[in-house]
Structures are given as C-alpha cells and as structure tokens.
Amino acid sequence: MANAPVTVTITGAAGNIGYSLLFRIAEGAIFGPDTPVNLRLLEIPPAMNAAKGVAMELADSAFETLYDVDIFDNADAAFEGTNLALLVGAMPRKKGMERADLIEANGGIFGPQGKAINDHAADDVKIVVVGNPANTNALIAAHAAPDVPNERFTAMMRLDHTRAISQLAEKVGARNEEIKKMVIWGNHSADQYPDISYATVAGKPAVDLVDDAWLTDEFRPRVANRGAEIIEVRGASSAASAASGAIAQSRDWVRGTAEGDFTTIGLYSDGTHYGVPEGIVFGFPGVAKDGKWEVVDGLEISAATQAGIDKNVAALQEEYEIIKSLGIA
Ligand code: NAX
C-alpha cells in the first residue's frame, strides 16, 4: 500500500449502524484504496461477543485495505493512537425520560470517551459523533478533551443533508448529483432547519423550481422527521443510511469537499458565524480543505432562515445549560 495505515475507533461497533459502517471503512470508503486501516471496536461488556462476531466477519471478507481489528470494552485502550473516532454508541431515550436525564446518561458515556480521546488519541484525531443527541454529545466530549481543539468534535448532520437532497431531487425530477449547496441549520433533531435558499439544481436556483407551500408543509417537516418515518415503515431506525452519512462526513473531512459545493457540518460554534453564539455544536454550511472544516460565510439570511437558526440556537443553548448545571461543562 502506498500510504501508512490509519487507526479508526468505532464505538457501538456491534450495533446496527456499526454493522453497516465497519465493512465500508474496511474496504476503503473513507481513506481510499491506497490507505490501509486498523479498526478498533469499542463496546460495552454485554456486547463483546457480538463485536467478536463482527470482527470474525471482517476477517472473512479479507479486505485488502484492512490490516488489523481489535476489540475493547475500555475506552482508554480503544482510543490509543486513533486518527478518526466515530462515536456511535449512545444511551437511547427510554420511556418517561426527560431531556435532562437523557443528557446526563449520555454525559456518562461521552465525557469519559472525550477524556480517553484527549489522553490517548493521535494528535491529528478527528471525531464524528453519531450517537444522539449528537450535537450535545459532541459538546460533552469536547469539554472532556481540553487538549484537543474544539472544532475537531463534529456532530453528524450529513444524513439530514442527504435526506434533504434526496427529497428535492425527487420533487423536481433531478439527479442527486445535480443538487448543490443544500444546508441544514442547527440541531440533528426535529427542530432542524433544512434550507434550500442557496441550493441549485443543474445550476438553476432551487427556489425557482418549488413553491413555498411545498417547502413549509412537506419538505422541511419530512426531512426533519425522516428518522421517525423510517422507524414506522422499516420497523427499525435508520442504520445503513446513517453509516453512509458518517462515511461521507469523514471522507470529505479527510479528502476535502467537492469544488463549487458545500455540505452541512455540525461544528463547534466559535461565535463568529451567522450570529450563532459560541459554545454550542451547530449545523452550518461548510467546506473541508486540507483536513479542516470551514464555515461558509456571507450567505444572505432571509427572515425565515433566521427564525430557523434562532429556534435551533435556543434549543441547543438549553442543552448547553443542562450540561453546565450537571457540571459536565
Ligand atoms: P444500536 O442500539 O443498534 O447500537 C448501539 C450500540 O452501542 C450497541 O451495540 C451498544 O452495546 C453500544 N454502546 C452503548 N453504550 C456504549 C458505550 N458506552 N461504549 C461503547 N458502545 C456502547 O443503535 P444504532 O442503531 O447503531 O444507533 C446508534 C446511535 O446513532 C443512536 O444514538 C441513534 O440515535 C443514533 N443515530 C444518529 C443519527 C444521526 O444522523 N446523527 C441517525 C441514525 C441514528 O438514529
């Protein structure tokens, strides 16, 4: 192989998303055909056997780009030397659980994992948080990792982004590749604001091709609630599409976004973009270049987009206040 191996740690590796994610990473979907990967799978003790089974299947596939697979139930060991951490395992919301309880439970996972990344990962570590509530879990991990720059802790908003592209493509009869400059502002939750204001379809402004009623009554609610729709129809939550989102977000980060387009990235806000206050992880329009995400500035913000941004800021700030009150931040 032309390049040195990279180390990728995946948490929740024996879960549904993990099962789709691992095989594609092993085959080069993020780093390409010339870069071998070493996979480190982190699971909780009851799922260690399931993780072993997945590792056996990875071995059976004999991927040329897969050098090594190790399994751990200890975060410090799992993040040793990791270049890319995909934090997928999380505490799901149980019946009757308030938002504060959910965040506290996830603090018990993402706090220690953030610290383990801080203490053991490679200097260039990149983190993609998939486990929900993804934006605030990314923030929790960032707070536990003072030596890792905050902007390395990203939340996965890419599935929301591709859901929006797909809905628009279907509506206007275009191919996905013809749609550029979609953005999902804010939170990976039903509050999110899918926005086609800057999008083009084969070079034409998307706003000229659809009407406001479709945007308000169908597009935005459909994209924001697509996860629930999948559960209703499939009887299980999005897994392969979530894995695709995590791969696309990671691949763009490592290899760069396409010229002339932007994507959506859940990024730590430094307080300098679109009036979003510092200290929350927010979905922005972004490009990746030379291994770094940059927010695309200078987009004109309509009153409707501003209202969408404000709603998400309020929701994410509430979650930030909860983690502060729990002493996590
Ligand atoms: P599963 O329940 O199938 O798998 C989760 C796995 O995580 C389990 O194997 C469990 O043993 C493991 N786990 C739990 N705590 C852990 C810990 N402390 N350390 C390591 N592993 C741990 O869930 P799956 O369908 O794979 O979904 C995983 C997460 O992705 C959920 O939080 C889900 O809500 C979230 N999603 C996020 C999406 C996004 O766009 N950001 C979309 C898809 C998905 O809903």
Side-chain angles (χ1 to χ4, degrees), residues 12 15-17 42-44 88-90 109 113 130-132 156 188 242:
N16 287 312
I17 295 175
L42 178 65
E43 260 297 347
I44 49 175
V88 180
I109 295 175
Q113 288 181 358
V130 176
N132 282 321
M156 189 180 78
H188 170 69

Side-chain angles (χ1 to χ4, degrees), residues 138 169 184 275 318:
I184 312 290
E318 262 177 46

Side-chain angles (χ1 to χ4, degrees), residues 193-214:
Y193 190 74
D195 191 1
I196 69 155
S197 302
Y198 324 100
T200 55
V201 181
K204 297 190 194 83
V207 287
D208 294 347
L209 305 175
V210 294
D211 56 43
D212 277 352
W214 178 74

Side-chain angles (χ1 to χ4, degrees), residues 36-78:
V37 292
N38 294 319
L39 294 178
R40 299 171 84 80
L41 317 186
L42 178 65
E43 260 297 347
I44 49 175
M48 286 301 273
N49 254 340
K52 269 184 208 152
V54 176
M56 287 161 66
E57 285 199 71
L58 283 164
D60 290 350
S61 308
F63 293 117
E64 291 182 7
T65 37
L66 181 61
Y67 275 14
D68 219 356
V69 181
D70 291 293
I71 304 165
F72 304 91
D73 61 6
N74 171 297
D76 288 334

Side-chain angles (χ1 to χ4, degrees), residues 108-134:
I109 295 175
F110 288 85
Q113 288 181 358
K115 183 168 185 339
I117 288 169
N118 188 71
D119 295 349
H120 299 280
D123 288 344
D124 68 348
V125 65
K126 297 174 168 64
I127 302 108
V128 175
V129 176
V130 176
N132 282 321

Side-chain angles (χ1 to χ4, degrees), residues 5-293:
V6 293
T7 299
V8 183
T9 301
I10 296 106
T11 76
N16 287 312
I17 295 175
Y19 198 65
S20 289
L21 191 54
L22 290 165
F23 292 81
R24 292 178 60 195
I25 300 173
E27 207 172 11
I30 295 176
F31 297 94
D34 299 322
T35 305
V37 292
N38 294 319
L39 294 178
R40 299 171 84 80
L41 317 186
L42 178 65
E43 260 297 347
I44 49 175
M48 286 301 273
N49 254 340
K52 269 184 208 152
V54 176
M56 287 161 66
E57 285 199 71
L58 283 164
D60 290 350
S61 308
F63 293 117
E64 291 182 7
T65 37
L66 181 61
Y67 275 14
D68 219 356
V69 181
D70 291 293
I71 304 165
F72 304 91
D73 61 6
N74 171 297
D76 288 334
F79 290 111
E80 188 62 50
T82 199
N83 306 106
L84 174 66
L86 297 163
L87 308 188
V88 180
M91 176 67 73
R93 191 187 281 258
K94 295 191 181 127
K95 228 181 164 187
M97 225 180 190
E98 297 293 330
R99 185 154 60 155
D101 302 328
L102 180 72
I103 290 172
E104 185 171 17
N106 277 291
I109 295 175
F110 288 85
Q113 288 181 358
K115 183 168 185 339
I117 288 169
N118 188 71
D119 295 349
H120 299 280
D123 288 344
D124 68 348
V125 65
K126 297 174 168 64
I127 302 108
V128 175
V129 176
V130 176
N132 282 321
N135 297 53
T136 294
N137 286 343
L139 187 61
I140 291 169
H143 274 278
D147 303 332
V148 180
N150 287 328
E151 66 269 19
R152 303 271 197 86
F153 286 87
T154 66
M156 189 180 78
M157 303 276 300
R158 189 59 168 260
L159 176 55
D160 307 297
H161 183 90
T162 54
R163 283 168 171 166
I165 288 177
S166 159
Q167 291 300 324
L168 178 61
E170 196 184 326
K171 173 71 180 170
V172 301
R175 291 190 301 273
N176 296 327
E177 60 167 342
E178 293 177 304
I179 296 184
K180 311 284 182 212
K181 300 187 176 174
M182 181 67 73
V183 60
I184 312 290
W185 298 95
N187 196 3
H188 170 69
S189 76
D191 289 329
Q192 67 182 238
Y193 190 74
D195 191 1
I196 69 155
S197 302
Y198 324 100
T200 55
V201 181
K204 297 190 194 83
V207 287
D208 294 347
L209 305 175
V210 294
D211 56 43
D212 277 352
W214 178 74
L215 287 174
T216 309
D217 301 338
E218 293 186 46
F219 172 74
R220 283 195 285 268
R222 188 118 202 233
V223 172
N225 295 295
R226 183 68 163 181
E229 188 183 350
I230 297 284
I231 292 174
E232 202 179 299
V233 177
R234 182 176 178 256
S237 62
S238 316
S241 57
S244 295
I247 284 170
Q249 183 161 320
S250 305
R251 183 200 58 219
D252 280 359
W253 196 350
V254 170
R255 298 202 261 171
T257 39
E259 277 298 314
D261 198 1
F262 57 66
T263 186
T264 300
I265 181 70
L267 209 57
Y268 183 89
S269 170
D270 63 6
T272 66
H273 308 284
Y274 300 106
V276 177
E278 189 180 356
I280 53 178
V281 173
F282 200 84
F284 286 109
V287 291
K289 231 201 230 150
D290 302 326
K292 280 193 179 149
W293 285 108

